[in-house]
Amino acid sequence: MAESAVAPSATKSNAVQLTPVEAFRACVLIDEALRQLSFVSKLVPAGHTARRDELSLSKGDDIVRMIQEQSSLQEKFKELTDSKQQLRGLSNIEKLKSVEAELEEVSQKLREANKELCRNLKQNPNLQENAVKLQLERQKVEEWYADVRDELQDAYTFKSLQDRVAQEKHQQEKLNEVKKRTRESAQAVRLLEAELKKETAEYEREMKQTNAEISSLKEELQQNRLKSSLKLSFEEKQLAAQEQALLRVFQQKEIELQRQLAKELSEAYLEEFAHTEILKFSREYIQNV
């Protein structure tokens, strides 16, 4: 980075103020870095062209088209940045303003293209994601370098870079905090899952034991019902047999009593007949005497 190659001379409102010589040296280093990044970015479209069929199969022609459009916008951004650099210090203010406006428009298109490409890549992930991510990061670095170079040339400072670094650091800290909370949440989820698994196993064990007890009680109840049914059937048959035996005894006694009654009636009839005859004979005898 440029700030590592030069020494700050003053500080104002948390911004490092450089001397014109220091700013010029930093601009030279930044221009060299931009040329190297531009050279690297020119290698990307060729690689993408060679792998176009593979990308078309995995992501579709739309993503390939967006990558190519983004490369074209990067080239346009580089050309406009160079034009703006050449127009500085000249009297053609209108031309400079036109280039700056066009540069702002291209920068806005690049940001929108980045958002659209990222959205499509999230919806359609593939094996080329790392390469595309590197391309996006390289484009962001180019924009940062160009802005820092302009700021160094205008105000001999690089406060925008400091602000961006601080912002990136803050975002990284937030990301680390989110990752930490995510890890803690994942750990809590794992603990809850382990506890749930333990409780589920305990519940299944208790249910298995309860089902075994219920099955045993059902079997015992079935056996008791069978025993009760057999006992009841036996007692019913036994009572029926006793009833039949008593009926036979009563019938036999009834027959004997009927016979005895008939005999006694016969004897009573004979006795009455004899008494009548004796009485009749006695009367006749008395009358004859």
Side-chain angles (χ1 to χ4, degrees), residues 111 140 144 147 158-176:
R111 286 192 290 269
K140 183 170 70 173
W144 283 23
D147 292 341
F158 49 93
K159 186 177 183 301
S160 61
L161 180 61
Q162 290 178 298
D163 294 340
R164 285 176 173 175
V165 170
Q167 183 179 4
E168 288 288 332
K169 183 178 179 181
H170 178 65
Q171 291 179 354
Q172 186 64 37
E173 290 175 352
K174 290 175 62 177
L175 179 60
N176 292 336

Side-chain angles (χ1 to χ4, degrees), residues 19-37:
T19 64
V21 175
E22 292 171 338
F24 176 75
R25 292 172 60 190
C27 288
V28 171
L29 293 175
I30 291 175
D31 286 336
E32 179 62 24
L34 285 173
R35 280 193 293 271
Q36 293 179 3
L37 287 173

Side-chain angles (χ1 to χ4, degrees), residues 41-268:
S41 65
K42 290 179 181 179
L43 299 178
V44 176
H48 285 159
T49 302
R51 297 190 301 271
R52 188 179 190 281
D53 293 337
E54 180 182 353
L55 285 173
S56 297
L57 291 175
S58 62
K59 301 182 69 65
D61 293 335
D62 289 340
I63 295 180
V64 176
R65 176 184 54 78
M66 283 187 287
I67 293 175
Q68 293 175 345
E69 289 179 356
Q70 189 181 55
S71 299
S72 299
L73 288 172
Q74 288 177 347
E75 288 292 330
K76 184 66 174 177
F77 183 84
K78 179 65 170 56
E79 293 175 1
L80 291 173
T81 302
D82 293 340
S83 298
K84 180 181 178 181
Q85 179 68 19
Q86 294 173 1
L87 290 173
R88 285 185 180 277
L90 300 179
S91 59
N92 195 348
I93 304 299
E94 295 296 330
K95 181 66 174 178
L96 179 61
K97 290 183 178 180
S98 176
V99 171
E100 288 178 347
E102 190 174 359
L103 184 62
E104 179 64 25
E105 181 181 357
V106 172
S107 178
Q108 179 65 25
K109 289 182 179 180
L110 271 174
R111 286 192 290 269
E112 293 176 356
N114 285 341
K115 292 180 181 179
E116 184 178 1
L117 181 59
C118 290
R119 182 170 58 253
N120 280 273
L121 289 175
K122 288 180 180 179
Q123 295 174 355
N124 303 281
N126 64 80
L127 298 178
Q128 306 299 328
E129 184 175 353
N130 290 335
V132 174
K133 183 178 179 181
L134 288 176
Q135 182 180 356
L136 297 178
E137 291 294 330
R138 183 170 56 252
Q139 175 193 335
K140 183 170 70 173
V141 171
E142 289 179 356
E143 292 180 358
W144 283 23
Y145 276 4
D147 292 341
V148 171
R149 183 186 60 188
D150 293 342
E151 188 177 8
L152 286 170
Q153 291 174 346
D154 293 338
Y156 306 135
T157 184
F158 49 93
K159 186 177 183 301
S160 61
L161 180 61
Q162 290 178 298
D163 294 340
R164 285 176 173 175
V165 170
Q167 183 179 4
E168 288 288 332
K169 183 178 179 181
H170 178 65
Q171 291 179 354
Q172 186 64 37
E173 290 175 352
K174 290 175 62 177
L175 179 60
N176 292 336
E177 182 65 23
V178 171
K179 289 181 178 179
K180 179 181 178 182
R181 289 198 299 267
T182 302
R183 288 194 298 269
E184 292 175 352
S185 300
Q187 180 66 19
V189 169
R190 285 193 293 270
L191 292 176
L192 290 175
E193 288 178 348
E195 185 68 21
L196 177 61
K197 186 177 180 180
K198 180 180 178 181
E199 292 182 358
T200 302
E202 182 68 18
Y203 172 76
E204 290 178 353
R205 186 185 65 80
E206 292 179 355
M207 286 300 298
K208 186 176 181 180
Q209 182 178 358
T210 302
N211 291 333
E213 292 177 356
I214 292 175
S215 178
S216 177
L217 290 174
K218 284 183 177 179
E219 184 177 357
E220 183 179 355
L221 178 61
Q222 187 68 20
Q223 291 178 355
N224 291 335
R225 285 179 176 176
L226 180 60
K227 290 180 181 179
S228 299
S229 177
L230 293 175
K231 185 177 181 180
L232 179 61
S233 177
F234 174 76
E235 290 180 352
E236 287 179 349
K237 291 180 179 180
Q238 188 177 15
L239 290 174
Q242 291 177 356
E243 183 181 3
Q244 292 296 327
L246 289 174
L247 286 175
R248 286 193 296 272
V249 171
F250 290 153
Q251 289 176 356
Q252 186 66 29
K253 286 184 178 182
E254 184 179 4
I255 293 173
E256 291 179 356
L257 289 174
Q258 287 178 354
R259 288 177 181 176
Q260 185 177 358
L261 178 61
K263 181 180 179 181
E264 290 179 355
L265 288 175
S266 177
E267 291 177 352

